[in-house]
Amino acid sequence: MQNSVSSRLAEATAPEVAQTIYAPPMRGFDAAALERMCALNEAHALMLAERGLIARDTAEAILRGIAQLRAEGPEAIDLDPQFEDSYFAFENRLGQVIGKPAAGWLHIGRSRNDIGSTIDRMTTREWCLHLLAQLNVARQACLEAAGRHADTVMPGYTHLQPAQPITFGYYLANVARGMEREYDRVAAVYPRADDCALGSAAFAGTSFPIDRDMTASLLGFGNIATPGLDAVASRDFVTELLWAVTSCQVLLSRVAQDLYTFTTWEFGTLRFPDGVAGTSSIMPQKKNMLPLEFFRAEAGRSIGALAGALSAVKGSNYSIGLDSVREGLSDAWPVFQRFADALPLLRLVFETAEPDTDMLLARCSANFSTATDVADGLVREHGISFREAHHVVGRAVQMVIARGADASGLDVATLNAAAEAEIGRSFEIAEDTLRGWTDPASAVASRVVTGGPAPAPMRDMLDGMTAKLAADAAALDARQTHLRDSAHQLSERISAFLG
């Protein structure tokens, strides 16, 4: 039996090869993949005709045939893995529609290598724009939640131990800042995917006088990928996007772990509606925070995909190869889809998280998280060094805990006893003054330094991040508009060509 795509190979592809290597990626040839293939071939056909490399009637037949393939949909294309990949399957169907001799003219001045690289670049651009749009929705929800909870005092934690009072809004503002950086990482991939490889052919270009600028422009690319070997052999724009998505997933996993901890019975400071939870088949009291568990798991899956992709690519030669292109990146595309699917869930988490305001304030009042403010007060009002104040307050906390009391048991007598033991002196302090130092709301309000949780810096940070979000959305819209305009330009050029 003759090989389906080459006269060089005297035998048909072995079923084991076809099913293991060729069949899996061909199953993903959906309507979006068909549209990319159609647009790429239309741009190339127009360019060949304009450069006089194919006859006008041949170009017309090709363009009308592609229009028929688009109308038929991917179901009409025989995705037999004997064709090796979706391009040969597409060419086969085009040959059935317009005749194989006419379809064969389309492959002048190019290779599957530059076709595949260009398709991957088009796909990566689309994923970038889609993920950025979804990230913006989640960022907006996070910023709005930060504003709603800007006055909700809560303990801040280091090493998961009570540290200093902050607000839940301040915590979320920090999450929003992290998401802003993750957005920038994803956005930075777009210009590196926006180089058109079409015309690089196998890797060394072509002897035909093609117009690479024309095809790049018709497909909405900002630049041409050069030199040809790198253009077809490298897919680092995909692994970079995978890294950016993984970085964001790691951030979301850490945030999910915090929120997960806060929802436990033992913490009991954060609630979600029942619609954002799961339950148990045996324990009727259970309310399980499955969405938060999901984000922790997804980070692990992304890390695995990234490590797998880099491990596959690193062993390949610096040229086109199965491991450096198709197989090496096969796990990346599902990660992008899962991340896109997860971002509406993230928005829901931000929108529905409800802190227990009274419980959080009570925890701050009991857990010594204002100890630093007591030390600061001693420095400001009694002229001792911070290190001396640190020792005094640390001794006082130890004494209160030894009595079995919480932070409400810290009084002036205890503080002075600790001071006598540590530095050999005591202080004239009114109980009301000490109570002021240990008040969590006052502690938050006193942190007016840039980046602090007090109302003024919080307002400045939220305003700045909201402005950045608006600017990012405008830049995103410009890129989306450019691709739509390019697609419209391609359609108009085809209509004009066909008369």
Side-chain angles (χ1 to χ4, degrees):
M1 180 179 177
Q2 186 178 359
N3 188 275
S4 297
V5 297
S6 174
S7 296
R8 164 63 178 83
L9 304 179
E11 299 175 351
T13 301
E16 295 86 350
V17 174
Q19 291 302 318
T20 303
I21 296 176
Y22 300 141
M26 293 178 76
R27 296 187 194 113
F29 192 72
D30 55 13
L34 174 61
E35 178 54 39
R36 295 181 202 109
M37 188 70 76
C38 287
L40 181 148
N41 283 303
E42 287 169 335
H44 191 67
L46 281 173
M47 181 274 296
L48 292 177
E50 184 167 299
R51 299 291 291 172
L53 296 172
I54 60 176
R56 183 179 183 87
D57 60 347
T58 300
E60 289 178 354
I62 289 172
L63 291 171
R64 294 186 193 280
I66 293 172
Q68 180 174 328
L69 266 62
R70 178 185 280 112
E72 290 175 341
E75 298 80 11
I77 296 176
D78 182 5
L79 295 173
D80 184 344
Q82 286 290 332
F83 289 125
E84 294 193 3
D85 60 25
S86 56
Y87 171 71
F88 273 132
F90 180 94
E91 185 182 78
N92 177 68
R93 178 58 185 157
L94 184 62
Q96 292 173 344
V97 171
I98 68 171
K100 291 188 182 298
W105 284 98
L106 184 59
H107 208 57
I108 289 177
R110 67 180 193 179
S111 160
R112 274 190 302 173
N113 294 357
D114 59 340
I115 292 172
S117 179
T118 302
I119 291 288
D120 284 345
R121 292 164 190 272
M122 295 168 72
T123 306
T124 301
R125 289 189 314 185
E126 292 171 16
W127 273 121
C128 281
L129 298 182
H130 182 56
L131 294 177
L132 292 172
Q134 294 282 55
L135 273 167
N136 276 349
V137 175
R139 288 167 67 192
Q140 181 69 42
C142 186
L143 287 170
E144 290 175 355
R148 286 197 305 274
H149 300 295
D151 297 324
T152 302
V153 177
M154 66 170 283
Y157 296 89
T158 61
H159 307 278
L160 204 55
Q161 299 293 334
Q164 293 178 321
I166 56 173
T167 66
F168 190 55
Y170 180 74
Y171 174 85
L172 292 174
N174 284 265
V175 174
R177 183 67 83 193
M179 291 178 64
E180 183 181 279
R181 290 195 303 276
E182 303 302 346
Y183 180 97
D184 289 343
R185 291 186 178 102
V186 174
V189 177
Y190 189 93
R192 283 186 276 282
D194 198 31
D195 294 339
C196 185
L198 202 61
S200 300
F203 69 91
T206 175
S207 60
F208 291 98
I210 62 173
D211 185 347
R212 295 191 66 188
D213 288 306
M214 178 180 173
T215 48
S217 175
L218 289 173
L219 294 173
F221 282 98
N223 301 286
I224 294 174
T226 61
L229 172 59
D230 179 70
V232 301
S234 296
R235 298 293 193 278
D236 48 11
F237 50 90
V238 180
T239 52
E240 184 181 8
L241 181 58
L242 181 55
W243 181 87
V245 166
T246 302
S247 177
C248 191
Q249 291 277 35
V250 169
L251 167 67
L252 300 183
S253 177
R254 298 178 70 191
V255 174
Q257 177 59 22
D258 278 349
L259 302 184
Y260 191 80
T261 301
F262 299 158
T263 62
T264 61
W265 182 268
E266 288 73 16
F267 267 72
T269 55
L270 187 65
R271 296 184 296 268
F272 286 91
D274 290 350
V276 190
T279 188
S280 166
S281 67
I282 184 174
M283 295 167 285
Q285 84 283 5
K286 291 301 291 297
K287 180 176 178 179
N288 299 325
M289 292 314 304
L290 303 185
L292 302 179
E293 295 174 355
F294 174 85
F295 282 108
R296 295 187 309 189
E298 275 302 292
R301 296 182 72 179
S302 291
I303 291 168
L306 177 60
L310 295 177
S311 296
V313 174
K314 67 90 182 171
S316 65
N317 297 101
Y318 194 44
S319 60
I320 196 77
L322 196 66
D323 45 355
S324 62
V325 178
R326 188 186 302 168
E327 290 301 313
L329 303 179
S330 62
D331 291 334
W333 312 111
V335 169
F336 303 154
Q337 182 63 64
R338 291 198 307 270
F339 186 52
D341 292 342
L343 288 171
L345 179 60
L346 179 64
R347 171 195 54 76
L348 181 67
V349 166
F350 291 139
E351 288 177 348
T352 58
E354 193 57 45
D356 187 326
T357 304
D358 294 337
M359 176 70 77
L360 287 169
L361 185 59
R363 291 280 173 82
C364 283
S365 299
N367 64 13
F368 298 98
S369 60
T370 57
T372 302
D373 296 88
V374 176
D376 289 347
L378 292 177
V379 171
R380 276 194 303 266
E381 299 187 17
H382 295 277
I384 63 173
S385 73
F386 182 81
R387 188 55 55 215
E388 288 177 313
H390 187 280
H391 290 327
V392 168
V393 176
R395 173 67 72 95
V397 168
Q398 184 185 64
M399 294 167 65
V400 172
I401 292 173
R403 295 201 304 263
D406 61 23
S408 63
L410 178 60
D411 55 18
V412 172
T414 304
L415 186 64
N416 275 328
E420 289 287 355
E422 287 292 331
I423 60 175
R425 58 167 294 189
S426 60
F427 311 103
E428 292 187 7
I429 305 172
E431 292 290 348
D432 286 347
T433 299
L434 182 57
R435 293 282 74 78
W437 292 348
T438 58
D439 174 57
S442 298
V444 169
S446 70
R447 281 163 168 75
V448 295
V449 65
T450 300
M458 265 290 288
R459 185 167 53 251
D460 289 344
M461 287 186 290
L462 293 180
D463 287 348
M465 284 188 276
T466 300
K468 173 72 161 56
L469 176 59
D472 288 341
L476 174 61
D477 182 68
R479 282 176 170 167
Q480 292 169 326
T481 299
H482 174 70
L483 289 188
R484 287 194 298 268
D485 289 347
S486 297
H488 182 66
Q489 177 193 12
L490 176 59
S491 178
E492 286 189 330
R493 291 283 292 271
I494 293 170
S495 296
F497 185 83
L498 295 176

